[in-house]
């Protein structure tokens, strides 16, 4: 099987906005996010990428089929998603202009476990290093361990991010979204998120 990774930057991201928005809604509906997405909100959020010269969507294809993607933008952007991440970085005494934020990474279930996520991040790391960013950050949601909607055999992504060289910040941030409850009803929940950073300097 042949795998390709391509990165689309700024306006070039426009052609992937619809598909990425659909995938976000589908995959984030699952544990640990349990997010009930709205397609119009999603598209608006993704359109923000097309207006930022240094925002990106990295696309993984296997034999020409879309298999995964990863997004990102400079932390300095005014996206509401990163407002608390910025505060955290500033409080630590760092310059937010040195940080790039990876928004979400997704690989379709049938293509997982064969290195696509690592390949996406490596390609993104190389590009943002060439733009002279010094650090990259991500966030992960903290969810109840014993949630009834947690699939059997679910493996947290924390091990993967540690393996990839990210370090978890001691302080947490918060972000609210409509969340599926134990009884399948939907409620706005202010979630706790862990913030992870990785240095791009060798
Ligand atoms: C998380 C996800 C993107 C991983 O994609 P993937 O293509 O299966 O990941 P990879 O096969 O590239 O694995 C990444 C690396 O982490 C390692 N790894 C994976 N899980 C690990 C764990 N629990 N502990 C330690 N290392 C782990 C792999 O061995 C691999 O290392 P390598 O490149 O050195 O071989 C995929 O499972 C997914 O789409 N999940 C749903 C969406 C999601 O939760 N996204 C993350 C937050 S936005």
């Amino acid at each position: 099987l042949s795998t390709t990774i391509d990165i689309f930057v700024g306006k070039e991201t426009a052609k992937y906005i619809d598909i990425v928005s659909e995938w976000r809604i589908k995959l984030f509906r699952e544990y640990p996010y349990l997010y009930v997405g709205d397609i119009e909100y999603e598209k608006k959020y993704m359109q923000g990428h097309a207006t930022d010269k240094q925002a990106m969507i990295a696309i993984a294809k296997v034999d020409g089929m879309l298999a995964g993607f990863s997004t990102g933008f400079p932390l300095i952007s005014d996206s509401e998603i990163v407002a608390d991440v910025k505060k955290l970085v500033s409080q630590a005494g760092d310059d937010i202009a040195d940080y790039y934020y990876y928004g979400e990474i997704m690989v379709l279930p049938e293509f997982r476990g064969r290195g696509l996520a690592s390949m996406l991040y490596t390609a993104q790391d190389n590009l943002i290093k060439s733009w002279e960013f010094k650090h990259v950050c991500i966030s992960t949601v903290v969810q109840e361990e014993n949630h009834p909607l947690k699939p059997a055999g679910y493996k947290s992504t924390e091990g993967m991010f540690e393996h990839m060289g990210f370090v978890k910040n001691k302080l947490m941030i918060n972000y609210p979204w409509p969340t599926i409850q134990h009884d399948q009803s939907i409620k706005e929940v202010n979630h706790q998120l862990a913030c992870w950073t990785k240095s791009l300097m060798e």
Side-chain angles (χ1 to χ4, degrees), residues 138 161-162 165-170 195-199:
I138 55 155
F161 289 124
E162 272 165 16
F166 286 89
V167 177
K168 185 156 61 166
N169 200 299
K170 284 189 192 73
C195 190
W196 302 67
T197 53
K198 180 176 81 170
S199 171

Side-chain angles (χ1 to χ4, degrees), residues 6 17 19 21 30 64 74 92 106 110 138-139 146 150 178 181:
D6 289 298
I17 286 174
I19 187 84
S21 306
E30 289 163 20
M106 289 182 178
E110 57 270 39
I138 55 155
S139 52
N146 299 320
K150 177 174 164 179
Q181 304 297 295

Side-chain angles (χ1 to χ4, degrees), residues 60-141:
K61 286 188 176 173
V62 174
D63 280 351
M65 265 184 307
L66 192 56
F69 72 86
S70 175
T71 66
F73 50 86
L75 186 62
I76 205 152
S77 102
D78 55 13
S79 171
E80 52 165 341
I81 303 268
V82 290
D84 275 4
V85 184
K86 277 189 202 166
K87 278 189 213 151
L88 210 70
V89 167
S90 301
Q91 278 162 12
D94 280 356
D95 185 350
I96 57 172
D98 289 335
Y99 280 74
Y100 197 88
Y101 182 79
Y102 289 163
E104 53 276 309
I105 183 159
M106 289 182 178
V107 172
L108 284 185
E110 57 270 39
F111 295 109
R112 287 180 193 165
R114 54 162 89 179
L116 291 190
S118 289
M119 289 164 74
L120 284 163
Y121 271 179
T122 301
Q124 290 182 282
D125 288 357
N126 288 338
L127 182 57
I128 62 175
K129 269 192 246 178
S130 79
W131 288 339
E132 299 187 344
F133 284 93
K134 294 182 182 150
H135 311 274
V136 59
C137 54
I138 55 155
S139 52
T140 56
V141 62

